[in-house]
């Protein structure tokens, strides 16, 4: 889970994050377009598996589908399978079901997270718990986890089940660890990185690795895709945490400053706290550790974060993880899907939502 300072083996072949940033905004659209047929099949699988004789389940499912989303994790499964030479065919559909499985795991965790965080917005719309209530969100989240395990079972591979079930457990551990570090400004940066590895990067890694498994590729390629996913996930979450203090709320699709209101320990806050003077530290202790906040506190927090350059510190670390993600792909031949995955790494650190 390291973040090297250079692209190592891939440096001579690929441009740096900064040099490729111009192509970043359209990277996910380009990847989705390249995988259009597979993604449509995955979406059909998702909709079909959302069906239930219990009306509330498809109703809440329709709300989630309407809210949209990047579908990045299932895209990674499909792209990894293609990178490993496993293209769709009449008898080659495993990656479709597993991509849907990955999305169900992710969506289940989002439903539970919004309840824990008492969130009211998700992707710019009212969150499921705000519309349907906390009880329904928790129970439908449980339903989606169960559907995910049904899809794993249907795939028939113990190796796939091991990877995805382990990731599911790691996600839960990451969320519990985040809760344990909440409101604690003495949290070491290494512990924060452990949190985001658990809550985000583990599923990115699993989503990529199963693409190599279905293609029956050697361990070295499995590991390369896991490394790519891990580093991409770390970069993604670091940028997410930066955006909570730096984004346009309408573009972001959630309330800016939610992390501060919830007392979450993220790198922008840790960097600002560690660089602050006595007055600044007292401010962060009041709003984060003691949870005493007023309407004037978010603007002041944003000012302190700007003065300590905490957003750029966070994004610089994210870029190093993105560079490590690109380097991991050096074991694969230069193909269109490899280029699209590289562009996705650049998109991750240049996105605005």
């Amino acid at each position: 889970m390291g973040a090297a300072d250079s692209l190592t083996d891939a440096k001579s072949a690929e441009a740096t994050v900064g040099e490729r940033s111009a192509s970043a905004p359209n990277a996910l659209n380009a990847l989705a377009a390249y995988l259009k047929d597979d993604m449509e099949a995955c979406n059909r699988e998702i909709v079909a598996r959302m069906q239930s004789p219990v009306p509330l389940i498809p109703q809440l499912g329709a709300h989630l589908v309407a809210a949209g989303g990047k579908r990045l994790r299932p895209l990674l499964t499909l792209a990894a399978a293609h990178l490993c030479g496993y293209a769709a065919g009449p008898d080659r559909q495993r990656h479709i079901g597993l991509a849907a499985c990955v999305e169900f795991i992710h969506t289940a965790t989002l439903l539970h997270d919004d309840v824990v965080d008492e969130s009211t917005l998700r992707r710019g719309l009212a969150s499921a718990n705000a519309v349907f209530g906390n009880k329904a969100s928790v129970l439908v989240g449980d339903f989606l986890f169960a559907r995910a395990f049904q899809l794993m079972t249907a795939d028939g591979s113990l190796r796939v089940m091991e990877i995805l079930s382990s990731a599911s457990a790691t996600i839960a551990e990451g969320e519990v660890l985040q809760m344990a570090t909440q409101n604690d400004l003495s949290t070491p940066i290494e512990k924060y990185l452990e949190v985001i590895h658990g809550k985000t990067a583990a599923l990115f890694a699993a989503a990529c690795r199963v693409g190599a498994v279905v293609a029956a590729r050697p361990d070295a390629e499995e590991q390369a895709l896991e490394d790519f996913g891990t580093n991409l996930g770390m970069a993604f979450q670091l940028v997410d945490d930066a955006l909570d203090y730096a984004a346009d709320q309408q573009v972001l699709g959630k309330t800016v400053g939610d992390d501060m209101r919830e007392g979450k320990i993220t790198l922008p806050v840790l960097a600002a706290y560690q660089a602050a003077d006595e007055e600044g530290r007292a401010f962060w202790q009041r709003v984060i550790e003691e949870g005493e906040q007023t309407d004037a506190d978010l603007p002041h927090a944003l000012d302190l974060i700007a003065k300590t350059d905490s957003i750029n510190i966070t994004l610089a670390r994210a870029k190093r993880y993105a560079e490590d993600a690109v380097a991991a792909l050096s074991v694969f031949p230069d193909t269109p899907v490899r280029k699209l995955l590289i562009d996705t790494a650049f998109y991750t650190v240049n996105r605005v939502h």
Side-chain angles (χ1 to χ4, degrees):
M1 201 171 63
D5 294 329
S6 69
L7 299 183
T8 61
D9 292 341
K11 188 173 182 181
S12 61
E14 309 299 342
T16 65
V17 169
E19 290 167 344
R20 291 288 291 275
S21 62
S23 66
N26 298 315
L28 273 191
N29 289 341
L31 184 62
Y34 184 83
L35 300 168
K36 180 175 180 291
D37 291 344
D38 280 4
M39 200 62 218
E40 287 178 353
C42 176
N43 286 333
R44 288 193 297 270
E45 183 77 7
I46 289 170
V47 171
R49 295 283 181 163
M50 277 282 195
Q51 297 309 305
S52 167
V54 180
L56 184 58
I57 292 174
Q59 287 171 13
L60 198 150
H63 176 82
L64 295 172
V65 171
K70 302 177 183 69
R71 290 278 201 270
L72 175 54
R73 293 154 188 83
L75 274 172
L76 290 175
T77 297
L78 299 175
H82 277 262
L83 184 66
C84 292
Y86 188 91
D91 59 346
R92 305 190 97 185
Q93 297 290 307
R94 292 177 63 193
H95 62 318
I96 305 296
L98 293 178
C101 174
V102 165
E103 183 66 5
F104 278 145
I105 293 171
H106 173 57
T107 305
T109 63
L110 292 185
L111 285 170
H112 290 166
D113 287 352
D114 283 346
V115 172
V116 171
D117 296 341
E118 299 180 345
S119 300
T120 58
L121 285 178
R122 169 66 64 182
R123 297 164 182 157
L125 299 176
S127 60
N129 55 303
V131 175
F132 297 94
N134 287 339
K135 292 179 181 179
S137 290
V138 169
L139 293 172
V140 174
D142 292 344
F143 172 84
L144 295 182
F145 267 127
R147 278 289 194 247
F149 278 84
Q150 286 178 327
L151 284 161
M152 290 181 219
T153 303
D155 180 73
S157 167
L158 286 176
R159 179 72 179 126
V160 163
M161 183 169 285
E162 177 190 13
I163 292 167
L164 292 175
S165 61
S166 294
S168 299
T170 301
I171 293 166
E173 289 172 342
E175 294 291 349
V176 173
L177 184 58
Q178 178 173 260
M179 186 173 64
T181 62
Q182 196 162 320
N183 307 107
D184 185 1
L185 289 166
S186 68
T187 300
I189 289 177
E190 292 73 17
K191 183 66 69 175
Y192 159 76
L193 294 175
E194 186 181 343
V195 168
I196 67 173
H197 174 265
K199 63 178 281 188
T200 301
L203 187 56
F204 275 66
C208 292
R209 185 157 202 155
V210 295
V213 173
V214 299
R217 301 305 300 164
D219 289 346
E221 292 186 16
E222 272 193 43
Q223 188 61 56
L225 279 167
E226 179 173 316
D227 292 345
F228 171 78
T230 297
N231 285 293
L232 184 67
M234 295 295 288
F236 187 93
Q237 189 59 54
L238 280 160
V239 173
D240 242 26
D241 291 347
L243 288 174
D244 197 74
Y245 290 95
D248 181 310
Q249 183 164 304
Q250 290 185 323
V251 175
L252 183 60
K254 67 176 184 178
T255 308
V256 170
D258 272 352
D259 287 352
M260 188 185 85
R261 295 183 188 93
E262 295 162 12
K264 285 184 180 177
I265 300 301
T266 62
L267 187 54
V269 167
L270 287 177
Y273 176 70
Q274 291 173 7
D277 57 18
E278 185 176 348
E279 183 180 352
R281 286 192 167 218
F283 168 81
W284 287 116
Q285 287 164 358
R286 175 174 63 80
V287 300
I288 297 294
E289 293 194 332
E290 299 168 16
E292 296 180 4
Q293 299 181 16
T294 69
D295 290 342
D297 286 334
L298 179 58
H300 187 51
L302 298 179
D303 183 55
L304 290 177
I305 282 174
K307 286 179 178 177
T308 53
D309 205 29
S310 297
I311 297 301
N312 285 332
I313 290 170
T314 302
L315 293 179
R317 190 178 286 258
K319 287 180 180 180
R320 292 198 294 274
Y321 278 113
E323 289 168 354
D324 279 355
V326 171
L329 296 180
S330 63
V331 303
F332 295 98
D334 187 11
T335 59
V337 71
R338 177 176 176 270
K339 179 183 181 300
L340 288 167
L341 284 170
I342 289 169
D343 286 345
T344 298
F346 299 136
Y347 160 82
T348 295
V349 293
N350 288 282
R351 63 195 176 93
V352 294
H353 58 82

